[in-house]
Amino acid sequence: MTQAYKLVLRNRLEEIPRIAETVERFCLRHELAPRIAMHLTLALDELATNAISHGFAPDIAHADAIRLSLTLDDDAVQAVIEDRGRPFDPLSVPPTDTGLGLEARAVGGLGVHLVREVMDEVRYERTNGLNRVYLRKRCDNEK
Amino acid sequence: MPKRTAAPANFNIDRDIPVGKAILLVDNLGVTQERDGTLAVVCVRGRIDSATSVQFEAELDIVFADPPDALIIDLTDLNYMSSAGLRVLLVVAKRARAEERPLILCNLAPGIREVFDISGFSTIFEIAATRAEAEARVRG
């Protein structure tokens, strides 16, 4: 396993583009395809956005609300995102029905759906007052 | 650690810019709009995420303040969109449908198209390959 790339975010949405920056540096360093970078950025963005939007009282700023780390093992990127916000298991969100027509589609709620779709594995645990999500993205099968 | 090849065997230049050169996803959002008679064309560049979707929604509100007969949203230079952007597009599509204003999206980059496909948006939206095709359809 490689040395971890780490990032700490405040509970502010303007922090979100920093995820892309870190993921891209990680993927360039390890010569991973841009599509891998896009999927990792998307999954981490969605989870961080949920945590920032719903996990914290918006009037209280936390310098270390969210921590991310990225490592590479033989065939996959392992990403961990943990936040100090309210308990929330993203896997408890019911699946999205993507077959509905325009009028029937509800606005919002697609974030967790995207995470599930672009990652190969998503696991959640709540420990020591932290929400922690483990993500795995295979990079040996990029088509 | 195994050495990785620089690009997958079936590397696609239209989809993947060369590994080692890419800064794909970090750009800010830029939105411009032009009018051609009663047709409005909105061009979007950069990224739409939860940090910029409010700006994107505000720009589209400006378009609807002087409602066009039809709207084209050209995504040529959009290189990243999260569910925050999808949410805004869905709101706009519902509004356009309710007001009977044709809405066509065009020039979706492969990465954006993939997000649309995963979300089921490729069947909800009318999508043209090019701006010319989109214009032909709204005028047709």
Side-chain angles (χ1 to χ4, degrees):
Chain A
M1 186 167 294
T2 61
Q3 189 181 358
Y5 273 53
K6 295 187 175 183
L7 179 65
V8 179
L9 301 176
R10 296 177 299 139
N11 55 321
R12 292 291 179 261
L13 290 174
E14 65 261 29
E15 295 275 83
I16 291 296
R18 296 180 60 209
I19 295 172
E21 193 185 336
T22 297
V23 170
E24 291 207 9
R25 278 197 290 112
F26 175 84
C27 289
L28 291 174
R29 167 72 182 76
H30 294 294
E31 299 183 336
L32 301 176
R35 189 158 175 266
I36 301 278
M38 208 279 274
H39 287 179
L40 285 166
T41 297
L42 186 61
L44 292 166
D45 168 340
E46 299 292 353
L47 294 167
T49 292
N50 279 349
I52 292 168
S53 301
H54 307 299
F56 297 87
D59 53 336
I60 302 173
H62 301 274
D64 61 344
I66 298 170
R67 291 176 179 271
L68 308 178
S69 80
L70 292 161
T71 53
L72 181 67
D73 65 19
D74 284 348
D75 63 352
V77 177
Q78 313 278 358
V80 181
I81 174 169
E82 55 186 34
D83 70 75
R84 303 197 295 129
R86 296 182 191 97
F88 174 65
D89 176 1
L91 297 175
S92 68
V93 175
T96 303
D97 184 350
T98 57
L100 296 174
L102 176 58
E103 278 90 352
R105 280 297 289 264
V107 172
L110 271 170
V112 173
H113 173 75
L114 294 178
V115 175
R116 285 174 157 142
E117 290 290 320
V118 299
M119 290 292 115
D120 292 297
E121 192 179 329
V122 184
R123 285 186 294 123
Y124 169 82
E125 67 180 29
R126 174 85 186 173
T127 45
N128 300 325
L130 295 172
N131 296 304
R132 186 178 295 122
V133 181
Y134 296 91
L135 302 172
R136 182 168 178 273
K137 177 67 179 176
R138 286 180 61 182
C139 46
D140 59 341
N141 60 349
E142 177 57 15
K143 302 190 270 298
Chain B
M1 188 186 67
K3 175 72 181 151
R4 270 155 221 288
T5 53
N10 48 356
F11 179 75
N12 176 348
I13 193 69
D14 291 330
R15 188 189 63 207
D16 296 330
I17 50 177
V19 170
K21 295 194 173 169
I23 293 297
L24 252 187
L25 308 171
V26 185
D27 240 354
N28 283 323
L29 173 66
V31 181
T32 56
Q33 74 149 304
E34 31 186 292
R35 293 275 176 152
D36 181 1
T38 56
L39 170 67
V41 181
V42 173
C43 297
V44 188
R45 63 173 297 281
R47 57 184 283 126
I48 307 176
D49 60 15
S50 54
T52 58
S53 64
V54 172
Q55 178 195 343
F56 182 45
E57 192 160 22
E59 300 276 1
L60 289 165
D61 280 345
I62 292 171
V63 173
F64 276 90
D66 177 13
D69 286 349
L71 174 62
I72 293 171
I73 302 180
D74 185 338
L75 302 178
T76 306
D77 295 315
L78 186 70
N79 44 35
Y80 178 78
M81 181 159 60
S82 75
S83 68
L86 296 175
R87 191 196 67 82
V88 174
L89 286 177
L90 187 59
V91 168
V92 167
K94 284 174 179 277
R95 181 170 181 178
R97 174 76 60 88
E99 297 177 7
E100 298 183 339
R101 303 181 200 287
L103 165 65
I104 303 186
L105 309 183
C106 65
N107 288 319
L108 277 66
I112 303 295
R113 177 72 196 212
E114 185 184 16
V115 171
F116 268 64
D117 289 345
I118 293 171
S119 309
F121 274 36
S122 301
T123 52
I124 290 180
F125 283 84
E126 188 169 350
I127 299 172
T130 63
R131 168 91 166 259
E133 184 192 326
E135 289 184 8
R137 282 204 220 168
V138 293
R139 292 183 202 287

